[in-house]
Amino acid sequence: MFSKVSGPVRLADQVASTLSEEIESGRLAEGDRLPTEVELVRQLGVSRTVVREALSRLRNAGLIEPRQGIGVFVLPRRTRPLDLEAADTKAKVLQIVEVRRAMEGEAAHLAATRATPLDLARMRQALDAIDSAVAAGGDGVDEDLAFHRAIAESTGNTVLVSTLRYLGDVSRSGIRVTRANEARRNDFIEAVRAEHHAILAAIEARDAEAARTAARLHMNHAAARLQDADDGFWTDAEEIEVDLDGAP
């Protein structure tokens, strides 16, 4: 039923996208049972960890339901505002950046007027965590996402926070690709670090307009850095698998 997946982003993102497309297209209809985990591993050419993470995402999105001792079944269709496509092309990642620019610019603007001292401390800790992760040889993806999430949470706007959480997997996928691109050059790494600190500095200064501008500039520069990536980056970037037990 399925072809093997490959590309410059996390395999779990691609598997979730592949299964989601089968469901949305009707090729896997309401009430259909998905192939077994072992069969999905064989057909898609990925590990069981990847399959389990992808199925977990589809379950959280309300697309499938596991039934003890029977299998995993497709749930009835409903309105689903979020496209679960993986960030596997330049166009898709740039679309994610556009959405983040709008939402995170407003989040930073609100954070500058509403963040508590504890919120500011959490943002600072998140930035320190990015540096620590990179120094230890990590990609800093989850720490990067935690920084932006801390800003959103400081706004006290539960709708904004819930929306960003709902977009979490898509945002993580986009951040993973942008950071992989930025890791190619030291000047990119330093630029991203400076942009993050500029956002936090504006929030700490309670300058709402400066915070919004800094957040939007960060997204604009991320898009520019992606445009700078050559074709080889998009075809040969390393695939990353994360054990479910270690995933946030």
Side-chain angles (χ1 to χ4, degrees):
M1 178 182 294
F2 303 111
S3 300
K4 288 182 171 57
V5 297
S6 63
V9 295
R10 292 182 64 196
L11 293 176
D13 295 332
Q14 297 179 74
V15 171
S17 176
T18 297
L19 296 175
S20 175
E21 182 180 350
E22 292 296 310
I23 294 171
E24 296 289 357
S25 69
R27 290 188 290 271
L28 279 173
E30 173 185 342
D32 282 354
R33 183 170 62 182
L34 268 64
T36 66
E37 186 177 288
V38 171
E39 185 61 22
L40 287 174
V41 167
R42 186 189 67 79
Q43 291 188 33
L44 295 167
V46 297
S47 69
R48 296 184 72 171
T49 294
V50 170
V51 169
R52 288 172 181 171
E53 183 173 352
L55 292 178
S56 176
R57 295 183 186 185
L58 296 185
R59 183 175 67 249
N60 292 337
L63 292 173
I64 61 174
E65 176 185 61
R67 298 174 187 170
Q68 187 67 35
I70 302 177
V72 179
F73 293 82
V74 178
L75 289 173
R77 292 179 61 85
R78 60 180 176 82
T79 301
R80 289 182 288 270
L82 179 61
D83 179 359
L84 291 177
E85 284 187 67
D88 55 357
T89 66
K90 180 185 292 188
K92 175 60 66 176
V93 178
L94 289 174
Q95 287 174 5
I96 294 171
V97 170
E98 289 176 354
V99 173
R100 291 183 62 204
R101 180 172 57 206
M103 296 188 68
E104 292 181 8
E106 188 61 23
H109 182 274
L110 294 173
T113 62
R114 300 177 183 178
T116 67
L118 179 58
D119 291 327
L120 295 175
R122 287 172 177 161
M123 294 177 209
R124 178 66 60 185
Q125 289 170 359
L127 286 188
D128 291 342
I130 295 175
D131 291 341
S132 297
V134 172
D139 57 17
V141 171
D142 291 326
E143 293 80 8
D144 191 317
L145 187 60
F147 171 63
H148 292 284
R149 186 176 294 153
I151 293 173
E153 290 174 347
S154 75
T155 68
N157 186 321
T158 57
V159 175
L160 175 63
V161 173
S162 295
T163 302
L164 287 173
R165 283 178 178 168
Y166 190 60
L167 291 170
D169 284 335
V170 175
S171 293
R172 180 179 286 106
S173 179
I175 289 173
R176 187 175 299 277
V177 175
T178 57
R179 289 195 68 88
N181 173 54
E182 290 154 1
R184 297 180 304 125
R185 291 171 45 174
N186 286 334
D187 58 331
F188 280 1
I189 295 172
E190 290 305 314
V192 173
R193 188 175 188 277
E195 289 161 20
H196 280 158
H197 281 270
I199 296 170
L200 179 56
I203 294 173
E204 289 178 328
R206 304 299 182 181
D207 189 334
E209 287 304 323
R212 175 189 279 150
T213 298
R216 291 178 65 85
L217 279 175
H218 176 44
M219 292 295 99
N220 288 340
H221 292 158
R225 287 186 287 265
L226 286 169
Q227 292 286 11
D228 181 72
D230 58 27
D231 292 340
F233 170 76
W234 298 99
T235 57
D236 299 330
E238 183 179 0
E239 298 161 351
I240 303 171
E241 296 182 18
V242 178
D243 192 294
L244 277 175
D245 293 335

